[in-house]
Amino acid sequence: MRIGELAARAGTTTRTLRYYEARGLLPARRTGNGYRTYDEDDLRLLTQIRTLQDFGFDLEETRPFVECLRAGHPEGDSCPASLAVYRRKLDELDALLGQLSAVRDTVARQLARAELAAEAEAPDGPEPRCELGRHPW
């Protein structure tokens, strides 16, 4: 298939495919007249790249998965290098979750403090609170 068809089937643009080619992630096969040509294996590579990017992996982090597929493995994550990327990404996500949790706790404390201050400053006393919309966290 030609580049336009591959881009359409992968849900991306021809510009993106050329970029992947320049980065060495997509093979650069050409016909005699210079047209790029691709096959179903290339579509698998693109699907792997796009899925990982949707999960927050940067383009370079997809390389071990692509290389694993190119080596003939049925899945891009069955090679040791791919597993190492998964482990690093999980560590990164755990750290981000910890940071988000700490920020959330700080915001909750600030909200509680601000609500108490607002109630104390209200001229007619505290306003009635609607508990239906309050979140359990």
Side-chain angles (χ1 to χ4, degrees):
M1 76 186 91
R2 299 223 337 238
I3 193 168
E5 181 183 352
L6 180 63
R9 289 184 62 191
T12 190
T13 65
T14 57
R15 183 177 179 183
T16 298
L17 298 184
R18 288 185 198 101
Y19 179 70
Y20 292 169
E21 180 184 314
R23 298 286 307 264
L25 293 169
L26 194 61
R29 291 184 304 273
R30 297 202 180 247
T31 62
N33 59 4
Y35 290 119
R36 291 173 171 87
T37 183
Y38 302 96
D39 58 24
E40 293 299 318
D41 289 337
D42 299 321
L43 182 58
R44 268 182 73 216
L45 294 177
L46 283 174
T47 301
Q48 180 77 79
I49 293 168
R50 302 273 312 201
T51 299
L52 290 169
Q53 287 193 301
D54 287 346
F55 293 158
F57 289 68
D58 67 36
L59 190 57
E60 197 55 37
E61 288 174 320
T62 69
R63 188 174 300 280
F65 298 86
V66 168
E67 290 172 356
C68 191
L69 285 171
R70 279 189 181 159
H73 295 273
E75 300 294 329
D77 59 5
S78 60
C79 296
S82 302
L83 297 174
V85 172
Y86 273 156
R87 286 185 196 100
R88 281 193 308 271
K89 184 55 78 174
L90 277 177
D91 288 344
E92 179 184 314
L93 291 170
D94 287 341
L96 288 171
L97 286 172
Q99 291 171 355
L100 283 173
S101 181
V103 168
R104 192 224 171 272
D105 291 345
T106 300
V107 170
R109 283 192 305 273
Q110 290 295 99
L111 173 61
R113 182 202 51 77
E115 286 177 333
L116 287 174
E119 287 175 6
E121 293 176 8
D124 298 328
E127 291 184 24
R129 292 161 48 110
C130 175
E131 298 296 325
L132 293 178
R134 295 188 64 88
H135 297 283
W137 60 86

